[in-house]
Amino acid sequence: MTGIELCVVGGGRMGEALLGGLLAAGTDPATISIAELVPARRSELVERFPGVIVGDEVVACTSGIVAVKPHDAPAAGAALAAAGAARIMSIAAGVTLAALRTAAGPGPALVRAMPNTPALVGEGATAICTEADGPNDVLGWAEGVLGGVGRVVRLPESALDAVTGLSGSGPAYVFLVAEALVDAGVLAGLARPVAEELAHQTLLGSARLLVDGEASAAELRAQVTSPGGTTAAGLRELERGGVRAAVIDAVVAATERSRQLGS
C-alpha cells in the first residue's frame, strides 16, 4: 500500500468523475485507491476501473480527496490525515477550510473545491481555494486533479458561496430552461422527441458559441435578434415574465443558502 499516491474517500458520481479524469490523463491506476462503504457500489467501481484499489477503508496515501456527503466530511478528512495524506482536497459542499482543519489537524495542506455536475462529462466548472497561509503548490496539485473534468479557477474562500449559487446550482437552472423549451415545442405542435432533440442541441450549440467564441452573451443575443423579428417577439415575452430578474434572484438565494449551511 505504500505506493498509493491518492485515496478518494467516497465512490459516488463525483468521486467517480474525478477518478475517470485522472485515469484519462494517464495516471497509473495502481497508485489510486477508493474507500467506499456500500458493497454494491464497490463492485461497480471495481468493474469500471480495473487496477484501482477499491476497499471499505482509507489506506496509507500521500494525498486524499474527500468526496462524501457534507456531514461525513470531517471524519473523512481525519481518516486521510491519519493515513499520512500530506494534501487533502474536499469537494463536500459547505464544509469550510476551518472545519476541515479542525478535523484533519495541523499536518496536511488543505484545498476546498466547489465543482458542479457537468464534471461527470468532463465539462465541469470548479472553484478552488486554500488557507491564507497555505502553500501555493497545493492549488497546482488540485488544478491537476480537477483539470481532467473541466475548467478550474482560483478564488478566495469568501467567494465560494457565490460560486455555489452560480455554477454549483446553475446546471439545475439550465435543466429547468431545457424542460420549458421542450414543453413549449410540444405546445407549438412538435412531437416531444423532436422538441427534445432540438432544444438540447440548441443549448449545447449556444454554450459552444459562448465558450469558444469571442462575443459576449449580450453580443450574441443581439446578433440573433432581428428588429421586429420572431426572436425579438419572444425576448419581449421573457422580459415581460421577469426571466432575467428570476435568474438573478435564484443565484442570490442559492448563495445565501450556501452561507447559511456553511455557518
Side-chain angles (χ1 to χ4, degrees):
M1 296 298 183
T2 56
I4 298 301
E5 296 178 4
L6 177 68
C7 179
V8 180
V9 184
R13 296 186 71 196
M14 196 62 73
E16 179 182 2
L18 293 177
L19 182 53
L22 286 167
L23 295 176
T27 302
D28 182 355
T31 65
I32 303 176
S33 71
I34 308 176
E36 170 57 49
L37 292 178
V38 180
R41 182 57 175 160
R42 287 201 301 272
S43 297
E44 293 175 356
L45 293 168
V46 167
E47 183 176 354
R48 171 80 170 80
F49 300 113
V52 172
I53 298 170
V54 181
D56 59 358
E57 295 182 346
V58 175
V59 301
C61 56
T62 57
S63 302
I65 297 177
V66 175
V68 296
K69 298 295 184 182
H71 62 272
D72 293 325
L80 285 168
R87 301 174 296 198
I88 299 175
M89 176 170 64
S90 170
I91 63 172
V95 179
T96 63
L97 287 168
L100 195 61
R101 175 59 68 199
T102 298
L110 302 179
V111 176
R112 180 182 171 188
M114 183 62 235
N116 64 4
T117 54
L120 298 171
V121 292
E123 295 290 350
T126 305
I128 59 174
C129 64
T130 189
E131 295 166 306
D133 57 351
N136 285 330
D137 63 341
V138 74
L139 291 178
W141 164 72
E143 286 173 333
V145 173
L146 295 162
V149 293
R151 300 194 178 198
V152 185
V153 297
R154 299 185 184 190
L155 292 173
E157 187 174 22
S158 60
L160 258 63
D161 290 316
V163 170
T164 301
L166 177 60
S167 59
S169 300
Y173 314 150
V174 175
F175 300 147
L176 182 61
V177 170
E179 286 184 79
L181 285 172
V182 171
D183 289 343
V186 173
L187 181 62
L190 296 175
R192 183 164 292 275
V194 174
E196 288 178 345
E197 181 176 2
L198 292 174
H200 297 173
Q201 184 61 35
T202 296
L203 289 169
L204 176 62
S206 300
R208 288 257 61 93
L209 283 171
L210 281 168
V211 173
D212 294 341
E214 297 182 356
S216 68
E219 291 169 334
L220 289 169
R221 177 181 54 78
Q223 289 172 13
V224 78
T225 308
S226 301
T230 58
T231 304
L235 287 171
R236 180 186 61 191
E237 293 305 312
L238 290 175
E239 295 291 5
R240 192 200 308 273
V243 170
R244 184 192 303 268
V247 171
I248 293 172
D249 288 346
V251 173
V252 171
T255 299
E256 181 56 33
R257 182 56 179 158
S258 178
R259 291 196 182 103
Q260 293 171 358
L261 293 174
S263 62

